[in-house]
Amino acid sequence: MNACERKYKRIGDSMQISFQAFGTYNQIMAEVDCLPLLEECRSLCEAIEAKFSAFQPTSAIAEISAQAGIRPVAIDEETFFMLKRAQDFSNLSKGAFDITIRPATALWGIGKKGDYVPDSQDLEQLNELVDYKGLVLDQKNGTAMLQKAGQQIDLGGIAKGYAADKARDHLVQKGCSSALINFGGNIATIGEKQNGESWQVGVQNPLAKRGEFIGTVSLTDQTMVTSGVNERFFIRDGKRYHHILDPRTCRPADSSLLSVTVVGNRSIDMDALSTALFVLGPDEGSKLAIQTGCHALFILTNREIFATEGFTKMPKRKV
Ligand code: ADP
Ligand code: MG
């Protein structure tokens, strides 16, 4: 399926649209009456992808990176909102989520450069560039600037969550009262299923094929986001290299976790948090989950499952 292709499927009383964006598959399922709205949501998604991609040379994000260490760049309100949210979560997580991770994600190129592992020296040189404190947002003048030449923005850790929120808001605004949005594992729900039951959403077993779940979570108007080692990775010399990087080392985060799933209200927030909690690991991560009022479920590399309150209904205790 290329970016323009889309598919419709009827599921019971609902319609589902599938399309590709953000390098992944996305689906929205809603009442049949909402069909025209599904197309609008797809367009919304494609616009967000184009606007916030680090790869679009004409995007404001690319411009901020190009002007790093040189000058502030004028940005619109939506870009300001995204950068501010990413900056807030960088601060909250003390840099476990780092909006300036891009030089490291670009060097690794996980999912793009085969089993390439960068030299330690090259990675060490990135340490001073990967520093969220270098992003200066000026609300009064509507500008953003990266302080050090070579710094670059990466919104890959929150863009899908933001898109899920936008799709949900759009559907609600147009009167849709029941929908399930799944943007590459970022789940957002509206209301309940049409039969009045809450949405049942599976938590992926990170050691099994896609679609094999360790249990399900009931969601009504909530959002659930997972970050895990199974999304984008390669294995070299028996070692797994995945796409969530620890900004302190600029290497794949090694926090004794296979995945983290978070449940809360806004998908952009849960997307940032799932990435942050993955880097922090279960101890520090659960503290941040409680502090931010979300529920988190950690699947550890020793296959144990550890959850904060709210996830206690998970049936299996080991994957
Ligand atoms: P997925 O993209 O599989 O849903 P995440 O939401 O955890 O997973 O986002 C991973 C993406 O976020 C990476 O591809 C990269 O672009 C970016 N990223 C990786 N590590 C970090 C980090 N520590 N802080 C912020 N963004 C990150
Ligand atoms: Mg994320």
Side-chain angles (χ1 to χ4, degrees), residues 213-233:
F213 303 130
I214 59 150
T216 55
V217 178
S218 298
L219 302 177
T220 303
D221 287 323
Q222 282 168 308
T223 181
M224 180 176 108
V225 181
T226 298
S227 287
V229 298
N230 51 319
E231 277 303 322
R232 248 181 302 141
F233 68 94

Side-chain angles (χ1 to χ4, degrees), residues 15-307:
M15 284 305 287
Q16 178 178 279
I17 185 174
S18 307
F19 57 94
Q20 215 176 21
F22 308 110
T24 183
Y25 288 100
N26 309 282
Q27 279 134 16
I28 309 174
M29 187 158 77
E31 298 136 84
V32 174
D33 298 350
C34 296
L35 188 58
L37 295 179
L38 299 184
E39 274 300 323
E40 293 171 18
C41 289
R42 180 188 58 80
S43 302
L44 261 173
C45 240
E46 285 170 3
I48 291 169
E49 181 183 23
K51 187 165 174 178
F52 297 113
S53 164
F55 307 108
Q56 293 273 350
T58 54
S59 73
I61 300 305
E63 182 64 8
I64 296 166
S65 299
Q67 299 300 334
I70 304 172
R71 64 172 183 84
V73 173
I75 51 175
D76 65 15
E77 261 180 50
E78 189 182 34
T79 307
F80 196 95
F81 168 80
M82 281 283 266
L83 292 175
K84 179 74 174 68
R85 215 78 194 118
Q87 188 183 53
D88 288 346
F89 280 97
S90 299
N91 281 319
L92 256 178
S93 66
K94 300 194 175 70
F97 181 90
D98 192 316
I99 185 176
T100 62
I101 194 79
R102 175 81 192 137
T105 47
L107 180 61
W108 281 93
I110 292 179
K112 296 193 181 76
K113 293 192 185 172
D115 66 354
Y116 169 72
V117 176
D119 287 342
S120 296
Q121 271 181 336
D122 293 344
L123 285 170
E124 271 161 34
Q125 283 179 359
L126 298 182
N127 275 337
E128 65 177 64
L129 295 180
V130 176
D131 177 9
Y132 64 99
K133 294 188 184 118
L135 174 67
V136 179
L137 295 175
D138 179 341
Q139 183 144 30
K140 202 166 119 254
N141 294 308
T143 61
M145 177 169 177
L146 289 167
Q147 287 182 314
K148 294 178 207 156
Q151 282 197 299
Q152 292 176 52
I153 300 280
D154 187 339
L155 290 172
I158 62 167
K160 274 185 289 167
Y162 175 66
D165 285 337
K166 287 291 276 192
R168 180 166 67 174
D169 291 350
H170 183 69
L171 289 167
V172 169
Q173 215 175 40
K174 297 285 173 114
C176 178
S177 60
S178 168
L180 178 72
I181 297 162
N182 179 355
F183 290 170
N186 283 244
I187 310 280
T189 59
I190 298 174
E192 294 161 337
K193 287 198 277 188
Q194 288 178 73
N195 64 8
E197 290 169 11
S198 51
W199 294 102
Q200 299 295 315
V201 180
V203 176
Q204 173 68 35
N205 179 342
L207 296 175
K209 307 204 285 286
R210 194 178 288 268
E212 278 190 31
F213 303 130
I214 59 150
T216 55
V217 178
S218 298
L219 302 177
T220 303
D221 287 323
Q222 282 168 308
T223 181
M224 180 176 108
V225 181
T226 298
S227 287
V229 298
N230 51 319
E231 277 303 322
R232 248 181 302 141
F233 68 94
F234 64 86
I235 293 182
R236 181 163 151 178
D237 301 329
K239 186 172 157 52
R240 185 191 282 254
Y241 296 85
H242 59 79
H243 74 311
I244 302 168
L245 303 181
D246 185 332
R248 292 164 295 197
T249 60
C250 292
R251 294 172 187 276
D254 185 10
S255 52
S256 73
L257 288 173
L258 292 171
S259 74
V260 180
T261 298
V262 290
V263 171
N265 293 325
R266 297 297 285 172
S267 213
I268 186 171
D269 297 352
M270 296 308 112
D271 200 359
L273 273 175
S274 70
T275 307
L277 266 48
F278 188 96
V279 173
L280 289 172
D283 296 339
E284 286 303 305
S286 55
K287 285 185 206 153
L288 183 58
I290 292 163
Q291 184 194 334
T292 51
C294 74
H295 305 306
L297 177 128
F298 300 86
I299 303 182
L300 281 65
T301 42
N302 69 5
R303 304 162 75 101
E304 277 174 18
I305 298 173
F306 166 74

